[in-house]
């Protein structure tokens, strides 16, 4: 990592099990000016699968496991610099909407060097069968290897419980908002937007 941005990037984090709707919400928010959606899974899926990194992604994701942290963070950082150098992402005025990263506490610690997470939105869906149903539906629509079999789906949910959910304890309680992810997407969006627009960091950004 040779280049650095010289301040911590202001960010919101969407956290939830696979199938909880992180990508749906992140995409909508990212289409609004001053918000930039960064979906780690999409960054991985855009890799050429003939490269060593692309092969590693296929290896881990098709088993429902996480790609090793160093690789993930390095790729994420390179992509952020690239988006920023090409002015697709404007770090001085855009809020970063993180989706799919961090996925464990170690990644959260790495990320804290680069990012200031102002709010975590926890898309909560205790009904694991509903998550599995959503993933099966997505496998049909989006050609997702990792959603294709029940065994992998169960493994992805287990990986979430064991590795990703503990992130909720890493951030202070005031920074975490639970949102009912079983609501229709537009209501989930309303809950997120309602909260963001009341945050002091968001209100301060309007004065810039
Ligand atoms: P979902 O939206 O269903 O949660 P993603 O598209 O975010 O899934 O991720 C798909 C797969 O990509 C994960 O199961 C994992 O193998 C890999 N992956 C994505 N983000 C990360 C990350 N931050 N760390 C490690 N692996 C990741």
């Amino acid at each position: 990592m040779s280049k650095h941005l010289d301040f911590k990037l202001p960010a919101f984090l969407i956290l939830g099990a696979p199938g909880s709707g992180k990508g749906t919400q992140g995409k909508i928010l990212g289409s609004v000016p001053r918000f930039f959606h960064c979906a780690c899974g999409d960054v991985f899926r855009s890799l050429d699968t003939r490269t060593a990194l692309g092969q590693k992604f296929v290896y881990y994701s098709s088993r429902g496991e996480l790609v090793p942290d160093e690789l993930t963070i390095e790729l994420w950082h390179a992509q952020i610099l690239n988006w920023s150098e090409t002015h697709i992402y404007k770090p001085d005025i855009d809020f970063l909407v993180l989706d799919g990263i961090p996925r464990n506490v170690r990644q959260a610690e790495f990320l804290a060097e680069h990012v200031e997470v102002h709010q975590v939105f926890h898309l909560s869906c205790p009904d694991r069968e509903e998550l599995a149903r959503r993933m099966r539906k997505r496998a049909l629509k989006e050609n997702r290897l990792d959603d294709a079999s029940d065994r992998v789906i169960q493994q992805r949910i287990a990986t979430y419980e064991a590795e990703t959910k503990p992130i909720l304890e890493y951030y202070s309680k005031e920074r975490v908002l639970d949102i009912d992810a079983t609501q229709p997407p537009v209501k989930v969006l309303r809950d997120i937007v309602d909260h963001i627009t009341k945050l002091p960091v968001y209100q301060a950004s309007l004065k810039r």
Side-chain angles (χ1 to χ4, degrees), residues 102-134:
R103 254 182 154 94
N104 58 29
V105 171
R106 190 150 173 263
Q107 290 185 10
E109 288 166 354
F110 272 126
L111 232 62
E113 290 169 28
H114 305 286
V115 161
E116 178 77 48
V117 174
H118 290 284
Q119 187 72 49
V120 180
F121 295 100
H122 171 218
L123 303 190
S124 165
C125 179
D127 181 353
R128 295 312 187 213
E129 201 26 61
E130 168 64 13
L131 292 175
R133 199 183 60 76
R134 291 183 186 180

Side-chain angles (χ1 to χ4, degrees), residues 16-19 22-23 39-42 44-45 57 60-62 64-69 72 99-104 107 135 138 144 146-147 156:
K22 302 184 298 286
C40 195
D42 289 349
F44 277 130
R45 275 185 290 278
F57 165 67
Y60 290 102
S61 65
S62 64
E65 292 169 12
L66 298 183
V67 179
D69 296 335
T72 301
D99 154 11
I101 191 163
R103 254 182 154 94
N104 58 29
Q107 290 185 10
M135 279 188 267
R138 177 166 70 183
R144 289 257 314 238
D146 51 347
D147 289 340
R156 297 189 67 209

Side-chain angles (χ1 to χ4, degrees), residues 13-29:
L13 167 58
I14 308 184
L15 196 103
S20 62
K22 302 184 298 286
T24 302
Q25 297 300 326
K27 241 176 250 150
I28 303 171
L29 264 183

Side-chain angles (χ1 to χ4, degrees), residues 62 67 79 82 86 88 91 112-113 118 175 180 189-191:
S62 64
V67 179
Q79 184 63 272
N82 183 294
T86 50
I88 295 172
E113 290 169 28
H118 290 284
R175 297 232 165 156
D180 175 4
L189 180 68
R190 177 204 55 195
D191 289 353

Side-chain angles (χ1 to χ4, degrees), residues 23-172:
T24 302
Q25 297 300 326
K27 241 176 250 150
I28 303 171
L29 264 183
S31 69
V32 176
R34 303 294 174 263
F35 292 89
F36 185 83
H37 180 213
C38 170
C40 195
D42 289 349
V43 175
F44 277 130
R45 275 185 290 278
S46 71
L47 292 170
D48 184 338
T49 52
R50 294 168 303 180
T51 60
L53 195 51
Q55 287 287 317
K56 282 219 159 99
F57 165 67
V58 171
Y59 175 87
Y60 290 102
S61 65
S62 64
R63 284 167 175 72
E65 292 169 12
L66 298 183
V67 179
D69 296 335
E70 277 76 9
L71 278 181
T72 301
I73 295 290
E74 214 168 293
L75 179 68
W76 172 84
H77 195 249
Q79 184 63 272
I80 287 286
L81 289 176
N82 183 294
W83 278 326
S84 138
E85 275 159 16
T86 50
H87 307 290
I88 295 172
Y89 162 52
K90 306 171 202 70
D92 54 330
I93 54 171
D94 288 346
F95 284 107
L96 203 51
V97 179
L98 295 173
D99 154 11
I101 191 163
R103 254 182 154 94
N104 58 29
V105 171
R106 190 150 173 263
Q107 290 185 10
E109 288 166 354
F110 272 126
L111 232 62
E113 290 169 28
H114 305 286
V115 161
E116 178 77 48
V117 174
H118 290 284
Q119 187 72 49
V120 180
F121 295 100
H122 171 218
L123 303 190
S124 165
C125 179
D127 181 353
R128 295 312 187 213
E129 201 26 61
E130 168 64 13
L131 292 175
R133 199 183 60 76
R134 291 183 186 180
M135 279 188 267
R136 275 184 226 113
K137 201 164 123 195
R138 177 166 70 183
L140 294 177
K141 281 201 194 163
E142 294 175 21
N143 195 24
R144 289 257 314 238
L145 265 181
D146 51 347
D147 289 340
S149 84
D150 280 344
R151 194 178 50 79
V152 180
I153 287 177
Q154 292 313 327
Q155 181 54 49
R156 297 189 67 209
I157 295 175
T159 300
Y160 172 75
E161 296 286 351
E163 301 190 43
T164 308
K165 225 173 162 194
I167 293 179
L168 290 171
E169 311 295 320
Y170 171 83
Y171 294 106
S172 63

